[in-house]
């Protein structure tokens, strides 16, 4: 065994190998020494466990492999061929070209983030999106924070702490990823008062629950589930009417934050931001990266007196939006104001793609992939806490594995290990690729990876 250890090369010998030439140019000496040491430690542990001494070549290659694996960023690009448009696990909404350019502009150098150029004095970061949001929503005031979970938390903390907030039993829900309305309420210091029943809540249920210490009525959109059958939920207008008569307000958690009516594309109605404000919600909050199609953010719009209290709450600093997000958000909101959201925002491009365009693209892919591929009818999903269960008809490329070759699960795994990774859907014994969610410039990479794997 001692001989086995002695046969191992030194760190210096490994590092002077010509195969490590490129690494020597790009990495610091210390980083390389560390890699080689750890490779040698692995080899010594293997000898201790009874293995034969690793060859010199395999050690050099081990160092190269470590360099590649350890310095490869963990966050990788994924081509989404699943047909699920908004998927939290793969980063929700892709950004428009303009939003990406805005992020680059603001992160490359300095900006007037909190600086007023005409006066040379301090400015507010909210200014960059407040007016855009106000115009789109028809609201008096607006602000943006880190995400919608923070928007709900800061809204409740700033406006309802130590007081009661009334919510329908059907809306005291979990949105996912540990975001449960009753728990958020505890965090904010507001007291939850549940009214009505799981399936039916009337305006009079809210009315009867009001006490001296009621601060607000809370409405939470059923973003990721649906209750069907014998159901009733007081409308926002009815809730506002009750709140107004008692000098309190409605906090409306819209979830997705839709500005475009999805019924235009054969989908069910989703509460629109502008409708919530028009109905008189004191504060409406929603996500930036669901149906809005922008970066991760939480947007609050509503009455100025309420938004001002939120802006000056100590949590505002803790959940504040960063400059890259602000840049992307502002560019995304501009698409709506310019009336070009369907054409420029990827999420809306995907929703509004025509059947003809999908069929043409699927046909082209199937021809390139070869005899194992054919075009079939299928459904794309909106996904990610938006329009639960809603689908859009689509054309899929179905790939059936060769009888003697790898299984469909193995093919899907190999596609995930490509760079960029490809995510497909599996149905029975076929791999399904949906062109709807594959960005227009990703076809070449997708087909190359599929041909490599299939
Ligand atoms: C998605 C969602 C949230 C959380 O929003 P994030 O932006 O993911 O933090 C909160 N409330 C509702 C109703 C939602 O659908």
């Amino acid at each position: 065994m001692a001989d086995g250890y002695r046969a191992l090369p030194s760190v210096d010998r490994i590092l002077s190998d010509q195969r490590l030439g490129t690494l020597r140019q790009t990495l610091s000496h210390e980083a390389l020494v560390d890699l080689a040491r750890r490779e040698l430690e692995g080899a010594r542990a293997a000898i201790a466990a009874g293995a034969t001494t690793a060859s010199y070549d395999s050690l050099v290659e081990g160092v190269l492999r470590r360099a590649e694996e350890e310095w490869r960023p963990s966050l990788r690009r994924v081509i989404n061929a699943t047909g699920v448009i908004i998927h939290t696990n793969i980063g929700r909404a892709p950004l428009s070209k303009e939003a990406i350019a805005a992020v680059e502009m603001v992160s490359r150098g300095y900006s007037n983030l909190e600086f007023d150029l005409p006066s040379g004095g301090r400015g507010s970061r909210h200014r960059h999106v407040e007016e855009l949001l106000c115009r789109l929503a028809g609201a008096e005031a607006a602000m943006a924070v880190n995400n919608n979970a923070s928007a709900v938390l800061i809204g409740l903390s700033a406006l309802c702490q130590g007081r009661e907030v009334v919510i329908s039993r059907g809306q005291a829900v979990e949105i996912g990823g540990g975001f449960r309305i009753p728990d958020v309420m505890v965090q904010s210091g507001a007291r939850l008062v549940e009214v009505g029943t799981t399936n039916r809540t009337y305006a009079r249920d809210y009315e009867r629950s009001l006490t001296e210490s009621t601060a607000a009525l809370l409405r939470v959109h059923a973003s990721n589930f649906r209750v069907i059958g014998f159901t009733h939920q007081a409308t926002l207008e009815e809730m506002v009417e009750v709140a107004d008569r008692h000098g309190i307000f409605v906090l409306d958690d819209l979830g997705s934050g839709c500005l475009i009516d999805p019924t235009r594309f054969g989908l069910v109605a989703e509460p629109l931001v502008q409708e919530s404000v028009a109905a008189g919600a004191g504060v409406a909050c929603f996500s930036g990266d669901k149906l809005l199609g922008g970066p991760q953010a939480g947007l609050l719009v509503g009455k100025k007196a309420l938004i001002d209290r939120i802006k000056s709450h100590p949590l505002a600093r803790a959940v504040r939006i960063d400059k890259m997000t602000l840049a992307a958000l502002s560019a995304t909101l501009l698409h709506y104001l310019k009336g070009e959201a369907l054409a420029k925002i990827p999420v809306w491009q995907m929703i509004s793609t025509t059947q003809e365009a999908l069929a043409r693209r699927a046909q082209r892919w199937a021809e390139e992939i070869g005899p194992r591929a054919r075009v079939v009818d299928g459904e794309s999903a909106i996904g990610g806490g938006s329009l639960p269960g809603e689908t859009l008809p689509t054309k899929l490329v179905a790939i059936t594995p060769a009888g003697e070759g790898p299984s469909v699960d193995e093919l899907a795994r190999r596609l995930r290990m490509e760079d960029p990774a490809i995510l497909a859907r599996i149905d029975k014994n076929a791999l399904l690729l949906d062109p709807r969610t594959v960005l227009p410039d990703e076809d070449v990479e997708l087909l190359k990876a599929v041909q490599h794997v299939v």
Side-chain angles (χ1 to χ4, degrees):
M1 205 193 271
D3 286 345
Y5 292 126
R6 232 173 287 125
L8 286 172
S10 69
V11 167
D12 284 344
R13 168 131 188 266
I14 293 179
L15 292 189
S16 59
D17 191 282
Q18 56 151 9
R19 280 168 285 182
L20 301 186
T22 320
L23 279 189
R24 277 196 299 272
Q25 280 166 18
T26 53
L27 291 182
S28 75
H29 183 66
E30 290 75 13
L32 267 178
V33 168
D34 179 57
L35 279 185
R37 281 225 175 96
R38 282 186 292 121
E39 183 64 24
L40 282 167
E41 263 163 36
R44 274 193 284 272
I47 295 169
T52 53
T53 305
S55 72
Y56 169 75
D57 278 346
S58 77
L59 289 166
V60 171
E61 261 140 38
V63 171
L64 284 168
R65 199 173 44 244
R66 271 174 202 272
E68 198 175 297
E69 281 167 11
E70 293 181 19
W71 286 308
R72 185 172 173 199
S74 158
L75 209 48
R76 311 222 176 107
R77 191 152 78 83
V78 165
I79 293 181
N80 176 14
T82 64
V84 181
I85 298 176
I86 300 168
H87 197 312
T88 300
N89 300 156
I90 53 173
R92 292 197 184 158
L95 296 179
S96 73
K97 276 198 207 65
E98 290 75 7
I100 295 164
V103 172
E104 193 185 328
M105 177 278 293
V106 84
S107 47
R108 184 183 284 274
Y110 301 94
S111 63
N112 62 340
L113 181 64
E114 290 187 352
F115 185 76
D116 184 56
L117 293 169
S119 70
R122 196 187 152 83
S124 154
R125 73 174 59 211
H126 298 304
R127 193 171 42 104
H128 304 292
V129 289
E130 179 157 21
E131 200 189 316
L132 299 176
L133 281 167
C134 286
R135 280 172 65 190
L136 288 167
E140 294 171 7
M143 76 181 283
V145 296
N146 175 62
N147 59 7
N148 191 32
S150 349
V152 177
L153 177 64
I154 193 173
L156 289 170
S157 305
L159 307 174
C160 310
Q161 198 155 52
R163 300 181 62 193
E164 289 171 359
V165 175
V166 183
I167 185 172
S168 156
R169 285 210 162 77
Q171 296 179 359
V173 298
E174 172 171 327
I175 306 300
F179 185 82
R180 296 174 136 191
I181 293 296
D183 298 343
V184 176
M185 201 75 85
V186 170
Q187 282 303 316
S188 73
R191 284 194 307 280
L192 176 78
V193 176
E194 290 186 35
V195 297
T197 61
T198 307
N199 56 332
R200 292 177 82 89
T201 303
Y202 303 90
R204 62 173 181 272
D205 293 322
Y206 289 101
E207 180 112 41
R208 280 195 207 122
S209 72
L210 301 182
T211 70
E212 288 285 277
S213 62
T214 310
L217 307 184
L218 174 64
R219 182 175 83 149
V220 179
H221 179 51
S223 305
N224 51 2
F225 67 99
R226 197 179 282 165
V227 185
I228 55 164
F230 186 59
T231 63
H232 180 83
Q233 176 57 51
T235 63
L236 182 61
E237 285 80 0
E238 290 171 333
M239 292 175 70
V240 168
E241 195 271 324
V242 171
D244 280 352
R245 257 189 298 111
H246 294 84
I248 56 174
F249 67 95
V250 176
L251 175 58
D252 192 14
D253 176 8
L254 289 165
S256 209
C258 203
L259 290 168
I260 294 175
D261 183 3
T263 61
R264 286 170 57 180
F265 306 99
L267 296 163
V268 297
E270 172 84 5
L272 302 181
V273 178
Q274 54 276 40
E275 284 174 358
S276 172
V277 173
V283 175
C285 57
F286 52 99
S287 287
D289 54 355
K290 291 183 181 171
L291 282 172
L292 195 76
Q296 178 190 308
L299 295 320
L300 298 125
V301 297
K303 308 246 156 78
K304 185 166 184 320
L306 299 173
I307 298 286
D308 281 349
R309 277 164 65 193
I310 299 175
K311 280 181 186 162
S312 58
H313 188 271
L315 263 183
R317 176 61 185 258
V319 299
R320 106 178 155 180
I321 191 167
D322 80 291
K323 64 183 178 181
M324 291 190 271
T325 309
L326 210 44
L329 181 61
S330 143
T332 306
L333 296 174
L334 270 173
H335 291 315
Y336 286 97
L337 272 185
K338 288 156 87 179
E340 59 184 25
L342 294 183
K344 299 271 182 134
I345 297 176
V347 162
W348 286 98
Q349 288 174 323
M350 290 171 187
I351 292 174
S352 61
T353 310
T354 64
Q355 286 302 302
E356 297 74 55
L358 290 164
R360 271 198 306 276
R361 210 161 158 211
Q363 195 54 47
R364 201 163 5 95
W365 289 5
E367 279 161 21
E368 291 232 11
I369 296 165
R372 310 224 65 80
R374 76 209 139 86
V375 177
V376 299
D377 289 329
E379 305 284 326
S380 315
I382 307 300
S386 316
L387 296 164
E390 282 295 292
T391 58
L392 291 162
T394 192
K395 296 289 177 193
L396 303 168
V397 173
I399 304 170
T400 23
E404 67 291 351
S407 70
V408 69
D409 291 305
E410 175 58 17
L411 288 179
R413 192 193 67 83
R414 289 186 192 173
L415 279 176
R416 292 197 303 274
M417 300 315 289
E418 290 286 313
D419 187 19
I422 315 281
L423 289 198
R425 238 189 300 162
I426 294 174
D427 183 47
K428 296 185 198 94
N429 194 33
L431 199 65
L432 303 177
L433 305 174
D434 190 336
R436 189 188 294 277
T437 50
V438 176
L439 300 176
D441 57 1
E442 290 176 333
D443 280 32
V444 174
E445 284 168 305
L446 172 87
L447 291 172
K448 193 167 146 236
V450 171
Q451 278 159 337
H452 179 218
V453 163
V454 172

